[in-house]
């Protein structure tokens, strides 16, 4: 098959995710090889629902230890910036054990009232009478405050966290960061998160907060990390830097995207908004459908540790393998009528948090709680959304982020 689409063409992604191309790839080349210009190696691209789950499960063959992005980091780079998401068992199992107790459904339920109160406050000021940017006024305000509460981050720094997180996750968008991966020489930053100087700034900010927490420990997640031991040893400064950065980055932007892209989906499918308002019993399935449809993280990368076969393709040890959750979420092999945005969809075993493997999103219950509470509050207050201008997407094939979503919200 000729691969007519270039999945590394970020200007294409800035216009919209290539759903039609993915549909064609799922039919014609469920696991396909794509070349890349040197110094990049090229990659296997996995498009189908079940192949993605197979690879996620088989962590011995499909390793996370080379990182989860398109980059080609050296061993030294990885050693400096490896977070939990870049580890394989047994190291992964030990790190996950430290934090998993704080993210169970029961542990997270404690935040329900806090998130409800916060959401009402944000909507009181955010929902304007005329046209407004939903990303700026609402979507970006909730996740960072929830994260601050869980991690014990100081309120004064929240805008800085948002800004640094944006510059990292959107490290390919020149309108968001001045150090652009793939355009600029980023060699000097290769040991920092996202190969960016802003990764270092995030670590530095984290170190100040950790120092403060060492002086006065609390019952927040950072204090848990400071108390934690792995095989009898405390976490090193590098471990703490990297735990801090992944929690801030993974917990903030992703949830913001689900909320903003979810509202965009309702602008485009107003009958589904009417349906949700008429039947709040649909909130749980609507939340899952928003997560499937919006797929905030488009892919995760793995690296083959041995020659293997997946979806008819012969993968060699050392090859880079991209698992496109954004494609699997629209696969008829995983969902009935996948191109329909259906808020009553059930079952809905989407891939937006990963599926089948040990890296399944740690914050899935937090994200679900936030999306459900924001949807519920909006459904009470807003009779209908309509676009007030074109949405502006982030130039990235990794995140499904929106920079701007101009809307009008008709009061209920
Ligand atoms: C809608 C929101 C979110 C989405 C779509 C999302 C998506 C993901 C995905 C796709 C993975 C990798 C799964 C895999 O490779 O199998 C992941 C891992 C992770 N997520 Fe989330 N995430 C979200 C919210 C959160 C939140 C709120 C937090 C923290 C408060 C969080 C923390 C993490 C962490 C720490 C990992 C790494 C887990 C590991 O390696 O064991 N995420 N997430």
């Amino acid at each position: 098959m000729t691969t007519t689409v270039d999945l590394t063409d970020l200007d294409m992604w800035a216009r919209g995710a290539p759903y039609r191309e993915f549909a064609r790839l799922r039919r014609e080349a469920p696991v396909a090889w794509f070349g890349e210009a040197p110094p990049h190696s090229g990659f296997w691209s996995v498009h189908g629902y079940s192949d993605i789950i197979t690879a996620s499960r088989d962590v011995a063959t499909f390793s996370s230890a080379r990182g989860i992005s398109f980059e080609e980091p050296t061993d030294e780079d990885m050693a400096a910036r490896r977070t939990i998401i870049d580890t394989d068992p047994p190291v992964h199992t030990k790190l996950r054990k430290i934090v998993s107790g704080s993210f169970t459904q029961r542990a997270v339920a404690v935040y329900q009232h806090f998130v409800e109160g916060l959401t009402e406050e944000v909507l009181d000021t955010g929902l304007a009478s005329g046209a407004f940017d939903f990303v700026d006024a609402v979507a970006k305000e909730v996740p960072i405050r929830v994260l601050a509460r869980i991690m014990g981050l100081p309120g004064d720094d929240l805008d800085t966290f948002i800004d640094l997180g944006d510059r990292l996750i959107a490290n390919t968008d020149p309108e968001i960061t001045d150090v652009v991966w793939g355009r600029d020489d980023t060699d000097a930053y290769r040991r920092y998160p996202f190969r960016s100087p802003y990764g270092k700034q995030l670590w530095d900010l984290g170190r100040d907060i950790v120092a403060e927490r060492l002086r006065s420990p609390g019952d927040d997640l950072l204090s848990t990390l400071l108390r934690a031991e792995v095989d009898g040893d405390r976490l090193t400064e590098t471990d703490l830097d990297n735990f801090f950065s992944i929690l801030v980055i993974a917990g903030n932007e992703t949830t913001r995207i689900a909320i903003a892209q979810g509202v965009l989906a309702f602008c485009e499918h107003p009958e589904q908004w009417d349906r949700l308002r008429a039947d709040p019993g649909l909130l749980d399935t609507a939340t899952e459908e928003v997560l499937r449809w919006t797929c905030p993280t488009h892919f995760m990368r793995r690296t083959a540790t041995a020659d293997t076969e997946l979806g008819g393709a012969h993968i060699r040890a050392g090859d880079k393998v991209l698992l496109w959750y954004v494609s699997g979420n629209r696969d008829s092999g995983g969902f009935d009528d996948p191109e329909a945005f259906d808020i009553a969809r059930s079952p809905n075993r989407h891939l937006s948090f990963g599926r089948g493997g040990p890296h399944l999103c740690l914050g899935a219950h937090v994200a679900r709680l936030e999306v459900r509470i924001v949807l519920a509050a909006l459904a009470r207050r807003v009779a209908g959304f309509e676009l007030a201008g074109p949405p502006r997407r982030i130039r990235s094939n990794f995140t499904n982020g929106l920079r701007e979503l101009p809307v009008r919200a008709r009061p209920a």
Side-chain angles (χ1 to χ4, degrees):
M1 191 206 87
T2 47
T3 42
T4 51
V5 62
D6 174 3
L7 294 173
T8 64
D9 175 357
L10 304 182
D11 295 319
M12 170 191 77
W13 284 90
R15 292 189 296 274
Y19 294 114
R20 285 177 57 180
E21 293 294 341
F22 274 129
R24 197 174 64 82
L25 287 165
R26 286 194 299 274
R27 281 192 311 275
E28 297 176 12
V31 180
W33 177 257
F34 285 80
E36 282 178 294
H40 299 286
S41 60
F43 59 95
W44 290 103
S45 187
V46 184
H47 313 115
Y49 184 82
S50 59
D51 287 335
I52 291 171
I53 294 178
T54 301
S56 302
R57 271 201 189 113
D58 184 0
V59 289
T61 312
F62 295 98
S63 162
S64 296
R66 248 326 119 192
I68 48 100
S69 77
F70 272 92
E71 273 181 62
E72 321 286 354
T74 64
D75 288 346
E76 293 74 32
D77 302 343
M78 283 314 298
R81 48 186 266 204
R82 188 185 302 285
T83 77
I84 181 173
I85 212 167
D86 314 302
T87 59
D88 293 326
V91 175
H92 175 263
T93 320
K94 290 176 187 164
L95 291 176
R96 181 99 180 190
K97 218 166 137 189
I98 297 171
V99 281
S100 56
S102 306
F103 287 94
T104 61
Q105 194 165 7
R106 180 188 285 205
V108 161
V110 168
Y111 301 110
Q112 175 160 347
H113 293 304
F114 170 74
V115 180
E116 284 169 349
L118 167 67
T119 301
E120 295 301 329
E121 265 173 44
V122 166
L123 295 187
D124 283 346
T125 45
L127 286 180
S129 51
F132 64 97
D133 175 10
F134 186 85
V135 175
D136 199 49
V138 179
K140 88 166 203 256
E141 292 297 330
V142 177
I144 191 69
R145 289 189 163 68
V146 176
L147 202 64
R149 170 72 192 263
I150 296 175
M151 290 181 68
L153 307 179
D156 292 350
D157 291 334
L158 297 190
D159 287 340
T160 313
F161 284 122
I162 292 179
D163 181 53
L164 291 177
D166 285 352
R167 286 166 189 265
L168 295 177
I169 239 178
N171 68 344
T172 48
D173 189 331
E175 291 189 43
I176 294 180
T177 178
D178 52 346
V179 183
V180 180
W181 186 76
R183 181 193 75 178
D184 300 331
D185 179 3
T186 51
D187 197 55
Y189 315 122
R190 63 201 166 82
R191 297 197 177 159
Y192 303 140
F194 288 80
R195 213 181 158 98
S196 166
Y198 300 108
K200 165 89 166 59
Q201 284 187 23
L202 186 61
W203 280 352
D204 290 344
L205 200 54
R207 283 188 185 186
D208 291 346
I209 298 168
V210 162
E212 164 56 28
R213 205 49 42 79
L214 276 171
R215 282 191 291 274
S216 53
D219 59 358
D220 53 83
L221 188 56
L222 279 186
S223 302
T224 305
L225 290 175
L226 288 170
R227 280 193 299 269
E229 289 185 3
V230 176
D231 297 337
D233 294 321
R234 290 286 162 101
L235 295 177
T236 63
E237 193 165 58
T238 305
D239 292 334
L240 287 169
D241 284 345
N242 286 314
F243 243 128
F244 183 82
S245 63
I246 185 146
L247 287 166
V248 168
I249 294 164
N252 179 30
E253 322 288 328
T254 46
T255 318
R256 180 199 317 173
I257 297 167
I259 294 169
Q261 287 278 12
V263 163
L264 175 56
F266 285 113
C267 289
E268 290 167 346
H269 302 85
E271 78 293 346
Q272 296 295 317
W273 188 247
D274 296 342
R275 201 175 169 200
L276 179 62
R277 296 196 66 231
D279 183 1
L282 292 174
L283 268 171
D284 284 338
T285 52
T287 299
E288 294 309 312
E289 182 65 342
V290 161
L291 288 163
R292 179 186 78 95
W293 190 257
T294 65
C295 196
T297 308
H298 288 145
F299 70 80
M300 285 283 147
R301 172 241 180 113
R302 302 290 188 263
T303 307
T305 58
D307 293 358
T308 189
E309 191 270 330
L310 182 70
H314 297 286
I315 294 173
R316 307 283 296 270
D319 286 352
K320 184 157 82 174
V321 181
L322 271 283
L323 309 178
W324 291 100
Y325 301 151
V326 60
S327 171
N329 271 348
R330 303 284 174 107
D331 185 353
S332 54
F335 307 91
D336 290 338
D337 198 7
E339 293 303 332
F341 177 60
D342 172 6
I343 62 160
R345 181 181 293 283
S346 178
N348 188 350
R349 298 189 186 93
H350 61 75
L351 304 178
S352 298
F353 293 130
R355 183 164 291 276
H359 292 280
L360 179 78
C361 175
L362 178 73
H365 294 302
V366 180
R368 286 190 167 108
L369 185 78
E370 291 181 44
V371 173
R372 182 160 47 74
I373 289 173
V374 172
L375 283 181
L378 287 172
R380 277 195 308 275
R381 290 181 180 224
V382 178
F385 286 103
E386 65 183 50
L387 278 178
R392 285 209 299 155
R393 297 173 58 83
I394 290 175
R395 181 179 178 273
S396 167
N397 58 3
F398 180 58
T399 164
N400 193 21
L402 287 176
R403 299 185 50 202
E404 196 183 343
L405 179 63
V407 292
R408 279 193 191 80
R410 207 159 16 93

